[in-house]
């Protein structure tokens, strides 16, 4: 609908909307995160939900203890190779639509432990991540910013057409390969459908 | 607290046959340690814990050290006859020291409020003779830390109640803290490499470029 026309109608006391807008508005203001922390970032995540920062203002105060009831996974902390299969499994157990925020340097890249033998170089190698937040750990404001970015992302989702999100497409996968413990590393070391190394151009 | 030399001399009287050696430490801390042979390690540990003077009832830390094969330099005095005159010369001889694994125990006394006394145990080599006696029956706090050494260094502790890997998964084959550990080549994406990482990223790229 034309924005100008809508504004005119609103001045006359006529409120117009679309089904998609109502649908997304409802969803974005009631995102239930999974109650799940991995390392020190989880402490900042907890602080975000408490009185001072109050994530409840955004409709996300209900941290669910079960992946079946959650919409959002906040990967808050270092993902060790031993933990990675469990993180992917938890993600697979969440019902669609589901979103992921990778919180902190470790979750997005391995952080200070990147060259270690036991830390995954970013959870985005196995599951699709919607918002990455850098920081070690990111402040609660950063998490709130990531959350608002996610809300914006949800609000802009189309319900029909080729651009519609994964949960509205029958052919799109909802579960992702759970890596297995190998002799020397996780097998596979990445899910190529989800993550490909970016082409780096060095001067 | 007694000095390490006093402890050693009392130990040699108390436990006949125990081969003890004081390992010097040149660093500023100069924390010397007591090297104990594997056969008598359990008895030495028991003695250190139960001795009324020392009463080392608390093992605060157990850690591993990996010593690779190294060339050590030893000075040997030689008498050489030069032009009919005997002369004493000092000669440095290179000797190959075989590699071994070490477990280091830091002992304190809660009752007497003193410590630390540092114990060292050495395996015979790094490959097949990598067994050491477990000191968990003496200090229960060693249990997880000995498991960690088993996991990361590959030292097998005989007499440990539950020797499994603790940090890595059970099917893992390597010992990551060993100096010759070969890490998996996962350097496909290094946006800001430098130094050692840059070398590894370059090596990975060169390997990928090959057909």
């Amino acid at each position: 609908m034309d924005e100008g026309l809508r504004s005119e109608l609103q001045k006359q006391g006529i409120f117009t909307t679309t089904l998609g807008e109502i649908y997304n508005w409802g969803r974005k203001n009631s995102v239930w995160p999974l109650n799940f922390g991995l390392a020190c970032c989880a402490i900042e995540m907890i602080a975000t939900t408490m009185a001072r920062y109050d994530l409840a203002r955004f409709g996300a105060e209900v941290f669910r203890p079960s992946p079946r009831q959650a919409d959002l996974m906040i990967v808050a902390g270092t993902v060790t190779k031993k933990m990675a299969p469990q993180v992917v499994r938890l993600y697979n157990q969440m019902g669609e639509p589901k979103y992921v925020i990778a919180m902190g340097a470790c979750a997005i890249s391995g952080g200070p432990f990147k060259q270690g033998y036991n830390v995954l170089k970013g959870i985005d190698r196995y599951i699709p991540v919607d918002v990455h937040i850098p920081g070690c750990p990111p402040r609660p404001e950063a998490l709130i910013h990531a959350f608002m970015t996610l809300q914006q992302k949800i609000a802009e989702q189309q319900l029909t057409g080729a651009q519609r999100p994964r949960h509205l497409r029958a052919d799109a996968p909802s579960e992702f390969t759970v890596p297995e413990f190998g002799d020397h590393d996780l097998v596979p070391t990445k899910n190529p459908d989800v993550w490909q190394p970016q082409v780096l151009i060095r001067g | 607290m007694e000095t390490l030399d006093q402890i050693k001399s009392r130990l040699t009287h108390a436990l006949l046959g125990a081969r003890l050696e004081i390992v010097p430490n040149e660093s500023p801390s100069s924390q010397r340690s007591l090297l104990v042979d594997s056969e008598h390690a359990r008895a030495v540990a028991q003695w250190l814990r139960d001795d009324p003077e020392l009463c080392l009832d608390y093992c605060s830390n157990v850690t591993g050290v990996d010593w690779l094969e190294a060339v050590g330099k030893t000075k040997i005095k030689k008498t050489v006859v030069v032009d009919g005159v005997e002369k004493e010369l000092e000669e440095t001889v290179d000797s190959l020291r075989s590699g071994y694994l070490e477990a280091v125990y830091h002992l304190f006394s809660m009752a007497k409020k003193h410590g630390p006394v540092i114990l060292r145990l050495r395996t015979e080599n790094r490959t097949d003779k990598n067994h050491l006696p477990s000191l968990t029956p003496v200090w229960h706090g060693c249990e997880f830390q000995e498991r960690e050494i088993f996991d990361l260094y590959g030292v097998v502790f005989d007499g440990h109640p539950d020797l499994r890997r603790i940090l890595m998964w059970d099917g893992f084959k390597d010992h990551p803290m060993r100096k010759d550990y070969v890490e998996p080549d996962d350097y496909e994406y290094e946006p800001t490499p430098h130094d050692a990482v840059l070398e590894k990223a370059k090596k990975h790229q060169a390997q990928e470029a090959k057909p």
Side-chain angles (χ1 to χ4, degrees):
Chain A
M1 190 173 195
D2 181 46
E3 276 300 314
L5 179 61
R6 176 193 288 204
S7 161
E8 273 308 308
L9 283 170
Q10 222 156 41
K11 281 175 195 163
Q12 304 300 320
I14 301 168
F15 177 69
T16 58
T17 185
T18 61
L19 184 65
E21 257 172 52
I22 282 276
Y23 179 80
N24 286 340
W25 174 80
R27 284 191 319 123
K28 81 168 196 192
N29 288 307
S30 171
V31 176
W32 289 5
L34 183 60
N35 192 349
F36 152 76
L38 291 173
C40 20
C41 282
I43 306 301
E44 296 296 302
M45 182 177 74
I46 294 160
T48 314
T49 64
M50 289 293 141
R52 182 177 287 265
Y53 300 99
D54 198 12
L55 198 62
R57 292 176 292 156
F58 303 90
E61 73 274 28
V62 200
F63 273 67
R64 305 312 298 182
S66 160
R68 303 288 187 201
Q69 302 169 346
D71 311 304
L72 168 65
M73 177 187 250
I74 302 175
V75 184
T78 317
V79 187
T80 59
K81 286 178 182 170
K82 207 172 172 183
M83 190 64 188
Q86 277 70 265
V87 176
V88 179
R89 203 167 282 134
L90 278 174
Y91 180 74
N92 285 348
Q93 287 174 357
M94 285 164 63
E96 290 278 9
K98 52 190 174 185
Y99 305 95
V100 177
I101 292 177
M103 179 181 183
C106 297
I108 66 176
S109 73
F113 313 110
K114 184 167 182 170
Q115 268 75 43
Y117 55 87
N118 60 342
V119 172
L120 190 66
K121 291 180 171 181
I123 191 62
D124 52 3
R125 294 187 180 217
Y126 291 116
I127 55 176
V129 174
D130 294 279
V131 187
H132 296 80
I133 333 170
C136 186
R139 284 194 55 86
E141 290 92 330
L143 181 58
I144 288 174
H145 180 255
F147 193 78
M148 288 165 76
T149 310
L150 180 70
Q151 283 187 321
Q152 208 169 355
K153 208 172 164 176
I154 295 171
E156 284 165 8
Q157 281 182 344
Q158 305 282 324
L159 299 191
T160 51
Q163 294 300 307
R164 66 192 192 279
R166 202 175 61 224
H167 69 279
L168 295 173
R169 284 162 50 178
D171 60 321
S174 152
E175 291 190 5
F176 293 85
T177 318
V178 179
E180 280 178 19
F181 295 134
D183 290 351
H184 307 284
D185 202 355
L186 291 174
V187 181
T189 55
K190 59 173 186 271
N191 184 348
D193 299 334
V194 176
W195 184 85
Q196 288 286 348
Q198 289 175 43
V199 179
L200 296 166
I201 298 155
R202 293 213 170 87
Chain B
M1 199 182 67
E2 293 168 287
T3 63
L4 203 59
D5 300 276
Q6 287 170 321
I7 294 172
K8 190 193 160 198
S9 74
R10 282 215 295 138
L11 255 169
T12 37
H13 287 295
L15 297 164
L16 295 170
R19 292 189 298 282
L20 304 165
E21 191 186 314
I22 289 179
V23 181
N25 185 345
E26 308 287 321
S27 77
S29 73
S30 65
Q31 252 185 354
R32 298 186 304 161
S33 48
L34 196 61
L35 180 66
V36 187
D37 64 305
S38 297
E39 291 81 51
H40 297 87
R42 186 78 62 80
V44 167
Q46 200 94 41
W47 187 88
L48 288 171
R49 191 192 66 182
D50 297 337
D51 182 67
E53 279 292 305
L54 285 169
C55 195
L56 296 164
D57 49 10
Y58 176 55
C59 178
S60 81
N61 179 41
V62 190
T63 187
V65 188
D66 180 17
W67 295 93
L68 291 174
E69 275 192 358
V71 179
K73 288 194 192 300
T74 41
K75 282 184 180 172
I76 294 174
K77 280 187 180 171
K78 258 186 172 179
T79 42
V80 189
V81 184
V82 186
D83 303 332
V85 187
E86 272 194 15
K87 272 189 178 175
E88 207 164 76
L89 288 175
E90 237 180 34
E91 205 174 284
T92 44
V93 181
D94 289 349
S95 60
L96 192 70
R97 177 177 60 70
S98 64
Y100 51 82
L101 299 161
E102 231 172 31
V104 186
Y105 294 75
H106 287 231
L107 310 173
F108 287 83
S109 172
M110 283 285 157
K112 301 260 176 183
K113 304 216 183 318
H114 62 212
V117 170
I118 300 154
L119 275 191
R120 272 170 203 268
L121 310 184
R122 274 180 196 169
T123 64
E124 279 183 54
N125 61 29
R126 300 172 68 254
T127 47
D128 54 331
K129 289 178 178 170
N130 55 350
H131 288 248
L132 284 180
S134 168
L135 300 188
T136 307
V138 183
W139 294 285
H140 279 289
C142 300
E143 183 180 345
F144 275 20
Q145 305 194 49
E146 284 182 350
R147 274 178 69 185
E148 187 180 340
I149 298 172
F150 167 70
D151 188 353
L152 303 182
Y153 290 90
V155 178
V156 182
F157 288 93
D158 299 322
H160 191 282
D162 181 28
L163 196 65
R164 287 178 292 134
R165 282 184 182 269
I166 190 167
L167 296 173
M168 306 308 284
W169 52 89
D170 287 333
F172 195 68
K173 292 271 190 286
D174 306 325
H175 302 293
M177 289 294 275
R178 283 207 188 182
K179 282 176 180 159
D180 52 3
Y181 169 64
V182 182
E183 58 186 341
D185 182 15
D186 54 356
Y187 288 88
E188 69 264 72
Y189 180 58
E190 294 293 336
T192 54
H194 53 84
D195 303 338
V197 181
L198 181 61
E199 294 299 314
K200 284 170 186 169
K202 274 183 184 164
K203 217 165 124 189
H204 180 93
Q205 277 172 355
Q207 228 152 38
E208 260 189 357
K210 279 182 204 163

